[in-house]
Amino acid sequence: MFEDSTFESSNRIKKRNPWVVATFALNIAVLSAAIIYPLINYEALPKAALTTLLVAPPPPPPPPPPPPPEVHQAVVKPQMMNNQLTAPTKIPPKVLQVNEKEQPPAQSFGVAGMEGMGSGAAGGVIGSVFGNSTPQPVVKVATPKKIAISSGVATGLLIQQVRPVYPPIAKAARQSGTVVLHALISKTGTIEDLKVVSGNAMLQSAALDAVRQWRYRPYMLNGEPVEVDTTINVVFNLGG
């Protein structure tokens, strides 16, 4: 009985051995393929990993430049001994030069009659405190040649007024209104230039003929007559 059992077990082991050998061979083949394939096909590896491995690290930054050397300027201080200047005991490496401005000449002060005390008049009259004084020039503002005034101011200067003749055609057409004129009055008070600004066309000619005969008082500015630029209103009224 023992032999039978041993024989049966030996047969089972012999039947299983081919499968174990095949499985072991398959594992070795797979492991060998996994190791050899990357070595042969290296182009399949990720490029980012290769770049990271092959790029060298950047060099360290350069050290900061050294600070500039300090420059010390020596100032020579005068040395006093018994209220007298003495020479310095050592010469500094660099001496600062001080430029002083010249003082203006002193002016003389005095009273007349005293010799060497300024100018003055005879008889003990006190002269100028600051020596010979020159009168300051008087600045005079130039008077303008022409100024502009309002029509109300111009009316106050009027000394001769000729009333306009109402045009018959305007009267027949029952036309009325105000004609505004731009006038340039000369220094003597006469009308030099006259232009129409606005107004009825039927009334403009009569207004121009009448205003050309008007006379004004000269407009005075700083005691001198000047030309006047102003406006004149001529009113045409049918009832007047």
Side-chain angles (χ1 to χ4, degrees), residues 31-45 50:
L31 182 61
S32 300
I35 295 174
I36 297 172
Y37 180 77
L39 298 178
I40 297 174
N41 192 11
Y42 62 89
E43 294 181 357
L45 294 176
L50 294 175

Side-chain angles (χ1 to χ4, degrees), residues 54 60 63 69 98 101-102 115 135 145 164 172 187 202 225 236:
L54 297 178
V98 180
K101 297 182 179 179
E102 296 182 357
E115 184 179 357
K145 296 182 179 180
K187 296 179 180 181
M202 295 183 181
F236 291 85

Side-chain angles (χ1 to χ4, degrees), residues 17 34 38 45 52 104 111 134 141 154 170 174-175 201 204 209-210 222 231 233:
N17 284 336
L45 294 176
T52 305
V111 180
T134 57
V141 180
R174 308 295 296 175
Q175 297 293 324
Q204 293 178 4
D209 294 340
N222 296 332
T231 56
N233 300 326

Side-chain angles (χ1 to χ4, degrees), residues 144-160 181-195 211-220 225-233:
K145 296 182 179 180
K146 180 177 64 175
I147 63 171
I149 62 175
S150 63
S151 59
V153 176
T155 303
L157 299 174
L158 186 62
I159 58 177
Q160 179 182 341
L181 305 177
H182 178 266
L184 178 61
I185 304 174
S186 66
K187 296 179 180 181
T188 59
T190 58
I191 301 295
E192 287 190 351
D193 189 16
L194 196 62
K195 297 180 181 178
V211 174
R212 286 193 182 99
Q213 305 177 45
W214 291 8
R215 296 293 180 268
Y216 294 84
R217 289 196 309 271
Y219 188 86
M220 307 300 293
V226 294
E227 294 181 350
V228 171
D229 192 1
T230 185
T231 56
I232 300 175
N233 300 326

